[in-house]
Amino acid sequence: MKGLILADVKIIRMMDKTLENGYSDSVPVYIDKNGEISNNSSTITKEEFSLLQKYTMRLLKQISKEILSGNINIKPFYNTKTKKTPCSYCEYKAICGFNTKLAKNDYMYINFDSKEEVLESIKKGENRSEKS
Ligand code: SF4
């Protein structure tokens, strides 16, 4: 599985009952010999989850307001790492009107900052959708 997991060894071991220490086969977590969660695991604290939930709700409200005020710009994301967009496999390509062959396209560029950088910028109150 990919994604974030609560940084709680008890919960991690409930999700992977075979995990003693080392890398889990089913969740993106490494437990060291002392039974601690390694820093390179995809875990965040309960407080950080709460922060992400609040940020996501704020972002959804902002997007909703923009749509309701008439902003229906087509702006698919562009993965700056893989240089790919969802348009290459999207089932709505024929009807949405976004032309991927145009040189000047308006994409939402996604930068893959580290987990710590993302959480830090959210804590500072930055709008990550404008950080492109
Ligand atoms: S083809 Fe259109 S609807 Fe599909 S991802 Fe691209 S912009 Fe969005």
Side-chain angles (χ1 to χ4, degrees), residues 7-73:
D8 182 322
V9 175
K10 272 189 209 163
I11 290 175
I12 291 165
R13 289 204 164 118
M14 285 167 78
M15 295 178 80
D16 183 349
K17 292 188 166 77
T18 63
L19 181 63
E20 289 296 324
N21 54 40
Y23 282 107
S24 164
D25 289 332
S26 51
V27 290
V29 173
Y30 183 89
I31 305 278
D32 67 21
K33 288 176 185 165
N34 301 321
E36 303 288 327
I37 301 166
S38 165
N39 282 344
N40 62 359
S41 299
S42 278
T43 55
I44 58 174
T45 64
K46 196 175 178 180
E47 292 74 26
E48 290 168 334
F49 260 118
S50 175
L51 189 73
L52 272 181
Q53 284 177 318
K54 285 178 187 154
Y55 173 77
T56 304
M57 283 308 294
R58 201 172 69 230
L59 197 59
L60 287 173
K61 283 179 187 170
Q62 177 195 326
I63 292 168
S64 302
K65 277 183 189 169
E66 284 183 30
I67 291 171
L68 289 172
S69 67
N71 181 0
I72 54 166
N73 288 342

Side-chain angles (χ1 to χ4, degrees), residues 74 76 86-87 90 92-93 96 98:
I74 303 169
C87 303
C90 178
Y92 302 101
K93 198 178 342 192
C96 94
F98 189 79

